Amino acid sequence: MSQCLNPDCIQLNSKITTFCQKCGSKLLLTDRYRALKILGQGGFGRTFLAVDEHKPSQPYCVIKQFLPQAQGTNNQQKAEELFKHEAIQLEQLGKHQQIPELFAYFIQDHRQYLVQEYIEGQNLLQELAQSGAFSETKIINLLEDLLPVLAFIHQKLVIHRDIKPENIIRRKTDFCQ
């Protein structure tokens, strides 16, 4: 299936179509990235599971669509700047095994998008819901996993302003060990 990215539509379409069957919006971002389904939504926008159709294996990726909840011109402008700043910071951080890689940042149909590496696994909130409260040992292990990446971003003079269980994804390969 192919998820329409028009915020007023979000129709599911056949994977072979190039335009939404309901609203007519283009389904491929930059003629490359196809949204498959909505993964989540927050104050800045929606996140979609997607595929990169330019690569032979059509690997999964994540599309973050800027779609702020804030009202008013000043709030909208500030939110747009923060979204673009996130892209700049991700680019400046470069590659790190614990940070999803930035593949692209662009504007299409007057909306901003980030495309990042897809991390297969559970976020910490899902893990907590499934397993219940963590033991002291598990919390210590989690902190030992998190502190190196936080030290890395702080060394690059970046402060992560949205650390919460929903934003901490543990790779399926790490989670199963």
Side-chain angles (χ1 to χ4, degrees):
M1 298 302 281
S2 186
Q3 179 80 58
C4 180
L5 292 163
N6 178 344
D8 299 321
C9 178
I10 62 171
Q11 169 81 20
L12 281 174
N13 297 272
S14 165
K15 184 158 181 160
I16 59 170
T17 57
T18 38
F19 294 94
C20 178
Q21 297 165 338
K22 182 177 178 185
C23 72
S25 294
K26 199 172 183 182
L27 294 174
L28 283 179
L29 289 175
T30 66
D31 295 322
R32 180 173 187 160
Y33 303 105
R34 180 181 300 273
L36 302 177
K37 68 177 183 177
I38 296 173
L39 292 175
Q41 186 166 333
F44 273 106
R46 287 193 182 109
T47 305
F48 299 86
L49 176 64
V51 292
D52 182 347
E53 293 195 350
H54 271 215
K55 294 187 177 180
S57 65
Q58 295 192 349
Y60 288 125
C61 56
V62 172
I63 297 170
K64 288 185 179 180
Q65 178 188 53
F66 176 67
L67 195 65
Q69 305 294 323
Q71 300 295 317
T73 307
N74 289 341
N75 290 340
Q76 174 79 16
Q77 187 175 9
K78 181 65 175 171
E80 287 174 10
E81 289 171 14
L82 288 172
F83 191 83
K84 183 175 182 179
H85 189 67
E86 178 182 351
I88 291 168
Q89 286 185 325
L90 284 168
E91 182 180 39
Q92 289 174 345
L93 285 173
K95 288 191 173 196
H96 186 282
Q97 68 181 27
Q98 289 178 281
I99 301 172
E101 183 180 351
L102 176 68
F103 295 145
Y105 165 80
F106 52 89
I107 296 173
Q108 182 172 310
D109 299 325
H110 309 290
R111 285 188 281 281
Q112 295 181 74
Y113 294 93
L114 288 173
V115 181
Q116 288 182 274
E117 172 187 10
Y118 172 68
I119 306 299
E120 185 178 1
Q122 288 185 315
N123 69 40
L124 205 52
L125 187 63
Q126 293 166 326
E127 193 176 328
L128 281 164
Q130 188 177 50
S131 303
F134 289 175
S135 68
E136 182 179 338
T137 302
K138 194 166 185 176
I139 291 170
I140 290 169
N141 290 338
L142 176 67
L143 289 172
E144 287 173 344
D145 289 343
L146 284 176
L147 291 176
V149 72
L150 291 174
F152 171 79
I153 66 171
H154 288 171
Q155 287 169 357
K156 301 273 187 167
L157 303 178
V158 173
I159 297 172
H160 193 302
R161 299 173 351 129
D162 200 17
I163 297 172
K164 58 186 178 185
E166 302 93 288
N167 290 342
I168 300 170
I169 300 173
R170 304 219 302 165
R171 291 180 193 274
K172 187 176 183 179
T173 54
D174 295 338
F175 185 70
C176 293
Q177 293 176 358

